[in-house]
Amino acid sequence: MLKMVGYAFALISVLFQACKNTREKSGVANSGAVYRLVPNWPQLPKGFVLGNPSGIGIDTNQNPVVFYRGRRTWPALWPMPSSPIKQNTIIVLDRQSGKIIKSWGAGIFVMPHGLTVDRQNNVWVTDCGLQQVLKFNSNGKLLMRVGTANEPGNDSVHFNRPTNVAVADDGSFYVSDGYRNSRVAKFSAQGKFLFQWGAKGSSAGQFNIPHGVVLDEKDHVLVADRENSRIEVFDTTGKFLKEWKNENFGKMYALVFNRGNNTITAVDYITSFAIPKGSDVIILDTAGNIVNRFGRSGGYNGPVCRYHTVAVDDDANIYTGDILNNTIQKFERVSP
């Protein structure tokens, strides 16, 4: 009997160590903060159709601003729609209650994609149907429109399904462009085209769907190179500096820089034979080291998700837009 107990104990120890090794390899075992999925958040009105929350930013009141598609769906085999979505497509949520405190955007957008809120509380969006980047004030007044409406292209006045925007402190901005082009383009604060870089491929400085773009504390340009499952880092002139790649990264969808603690929060996504395996939230330091990770890899008790966008408020709470379940998730930092 004692021998059987000994064998059982040994087996449990081996399994525990194997599990521990697997978790460490996947990046789950770490010294980062603990996050809790906030239940019953957001609190949306009965019958409200969120539909593909593709972009999230944080305004100066630390409330999430969400860009969503309503009843419109991304075309798989047919052309992009051309008519504007009749309903509002931007909502501002109270970060505590998750209730809608503002909504706008009806009759403007064709295929919502990325959203960024700058330090002046302006809202920047990319529309893959309009083929444009648009800048609004916080009340939805149009301030700037870049790109030629409904005309795809690859030059100084055209985009081809642009994906996201990063805004520098001087007002200049970078556009990741995108699904049909494989470039990042820089513009002045007034919207004048300055230069571009990138080409289709997987080598240094190339892209296969540059899906997200953000600036760090040194104004390095970080690009979520989606189909290459990596983050590429460039200087302000587009010079390639380095790449961050990990064998456990999935398709890299989006990233955001948290100025409060100089970390980058990214989200990825993995499928297996077209079956969703889910997303991870991955927190990295400015050297590209993973300091925290949760989602499909562990440390998470929610549904399988496909995170298309991510945002972080000043308290390091994390917001994700899940286009698989058409919802927004809030992860509250509970320690340390």
Side-chain angles (χ1 to χ4, degrees):
M1 182 65 179
L2 290 176
K3 184 179 291 186
M4 292 294 292
V5 171
Y7 287 149
F9 180 79
L11 179 60
I12 291 171
S13 298
V14 169
L15 291 175
F16 176 81
Q17 186 61 42
C19 180
K20 179 175 181 291
N21 290 342
T22 299
R23 289 172 63 83
E24 287 176 349
K25 184 177 180 181
S26 69
V28 176
N30 54 65
S31 58
V34 175
Y35 286 86
R36 177 184 72 94
L37 178 61
V38 178
N40 302 314
W41 197 101
Q43 295 287 326
L44 300 177
K46 185 177 180 180
F48 185 90
V49 179
L50 185 63
N52 281 184
S54 58
I56 300 178
I58 303 295
D59 69 14
T60 54
N61 295 315
Q62 299 306 298
N63 292 317
V65 184
V66 182
F67 200 24
Y68 66 101
R69 297 171 185 159
R71 298 184 185 279
R72 179 147 295 172
T73 57
W74 184 273
L77 300 174
W78 51 90
M80 190 70 70
S82 58
S83 61
I85 300 170
K86 296 179 180 179
Q87 296 76 28
N88 285 335
T89 52
I90 292 180
I91 52 174
V92 182
L93 300 173
D94 181 274
R95 69 167 177 163
Q96 300 298 338
S97 68
K99 293 182 178 180
I100 297 175
I101 56 180
K102 186 187 296 186
S103 64
W104 52 276
I108 301 175
F109 306 110
V110 173
M111 186 56 69
H113 200 273
L115 181 147
T116 300
V117 182
D118 66 23
R119 292 192 175 192
Q120 286 70 48
N121 222 27
N122 298 309
V123 178
W124 300 71
V125 300
T126 59
D127 189 312
C128 291
L130 283 176
Q131 307 287 8
Q132 289 183 313
V133 173
L134 302 98
K135 175 186 178 182
F136 299 86
N137 70 11
S138 59
N139 292 316
K141 179 183 177 180
L142 181 64
L143 303 177
M144 185 189 300
R145 192 186 290 262
V146 182
T148 305
N150 305 308
E151 289 186 11
N154 187 7
D155 54 35
S156 62
V157 294
H158 292 88
F159 299 109
N160 203 337
R161 299 191 181 183
T163 52
N164 224 313
V165 180
V167 184
D169 289 342
D170 65 1
S172 63
F173 57 98
Y174 301 81
V175 179
S176 51
D177 177 38
Y179 282 98
R180 298 289 177 83
N181 294 332
S182 299
R183 65 171 180 166
V184 172
K186 184 175 183 180
F187 296 82
S188 72
Q190 294 73 39
K192 178 184 177 182
F193 176 84
L194 298 177
F195 60 87
Q196 68 180 49
W197 72 90
K200 183 68 173 287
S202 57
S203 299
Q206 296 182 329
F207 305 112
N208 189 357
I209 306 186
H211 201 259
V213 61
V214 71
L215 302 177
D216 70 8
E217 86 286 3
K218 296 180 180 178
D219 280 339
H220 291 153
V221 184
L222 280 60
V223 181
D225 186 14
R226 197 182 85 177
E227 297 302 298
N228 286 324
S229 300
R230 65 181 177 179
I231 296 170
E232 290 192 276
V233 184
F234 303 86
D235 69 12
T236 55
T237 69
K239 178 184 176 182
F240 174 82
L241 300 177
K242 54 192 170 184
E243 72 170 24
W244 297 338
K245 198 170 178 68
N246 184 287
E247 63 179 358
N248 296 296
F249 283 175
K251 307 300 183 185
M252 192 61 65
Y253 270 63
L255 69 172
V256 64
F257 179 69
N258 184 354
R259 292 177 180 267
N261 58 12
N262 282 354
T263 57
I264 296 95
T265 302
V267 290
D268 71 353
Y269 178 64
I270 285 178
T271 61
S272 178
F273 300 103
I275 298 173
K277 295 297 183 181
S279 291
D280 264 352
V281 175
I282 306 163
I283 303 175
L284 308 102
D285 62 22
T286 53
N289 301 306
I290 297 175
V291 297
N292 206 339
R293 186 173 191 157
F294 58 89
R296 69 169 182 276
S297 297
Y300 164 75
N301 60 355
V304 173
C305 295
R306 183 181 182 183
Y307 297 145
H308 190 272
T309 181
V310 64
V312 181
D313 67 24
D314 278 355
D315 291 327
N317 300 310
I318 298 171
Y319 304 84
T320 58
D322 173 18
I323 62 172
L324 188 62
N325 302 293
N326 289 325
T327 189
I328 304 159
Q329 291 183 321
K330 177 181 179 179
F331 294 94
E332 181 180 43
R333 190 175 70 167
V334 295
S335 70

